[in-house]
Amino acid sequence: QVLFALNQTLLQHESLRAGSLQAPYTTEDLIKHYNCGDLNAVIFNHDTSQVPNFINTTLPPHEQVTAQEIDSYFRQELIYKRNERMGKRVMTLLKENTDKSFFFAFGAG
């Protein structure tokens, strides 16, 4: 799975560099919409995480299964479990320090 993920990532980057694959939005697009307070922009209404997208309909069926397994694993580990850990830490800080004020800032994942 690691080799598959590395190969797919390299293929995506090579395609982007060669111009045969177009990213749906750029980092500059994200920054511009964020700075303008336009969080309802279409780029924020779907998965904009930095988790690599390994799912590709042109892959053979057995590789599509591998891609789905890797994609699910990354999303679970890098997004959902991370959010749970951060939420628990925030709750602990708030409960243990009721006399203090906090400011928490979180990335968009």
Side-chain angles (χ1 to χ4, degrees), residues 10-89:
L10 288 172
L11 286 171
Q12 285 179 10
H13 283 277
E14 288 170 358
S15 296
L16 282 169
R17 218 174 295 156
S20 60
L21 178 66
Q22 187 69 19
Y25 52 85
T26 65
T27 301
E28 288 77 21
D29 292 332
L30 290 172
I31 292 169
K32 182 183 104 188
H33 286 287
Y34 180 82
N35 285 338
C36 292
D38 186 10
L39 301 182
N40 291 321
V42 88
I43 60 176
F44 290 106
N45 289 333
H46 61 295
D47 186 6
T48 59
S49 70
Q50 295 300 310
V51 177
N53 182 14
F54 297 117
I55 301 170
N56 180 339
T57 56
T58 62
L59 294 172
H62 70 282
E63 288 186 355
Q64 285 184 22
V65 170
T66 301
Q68 183 62 53
E69 289 170 354
I70 293 170
D71 188 73
S72 295
Y73 174 80
F74 278 152
R75 288 178 197 290
Q76 185 66 34
E77 294 298 318
L78 298 179
I79 296 174
Y80 303 126
K81 285 186 179 179
R82 177 204 66 165
N83 290 350
E84 286 180 33
R85 283 191 306 271
M86 285 193 306
K88 287 177 184 175
R89 289 177 186 152

Side-chain angles (χ1 to χ4, degrees), residues 77-106:
E77 294 298 318
L78 298 179
I79 296 174
Y80 303 126
K81 285 186 179 179
R82 177 204 66 165
N83 290 350
E84 286 180 33
R85 283 191 306 271
M86 285 193 306
K88 287 177 184 175
R89 289 177 186 152
V90 166
M91 292 305 297
T92 299
L93 280 170
L94 294 173
K95 288 177 183 175
E96 292 176 355
N97 300 282
T98 57
D99 59 330
K100 293 183 179 178
S101 295
F102 290 91
F103 173 80
F104 299 101
F106 302 96

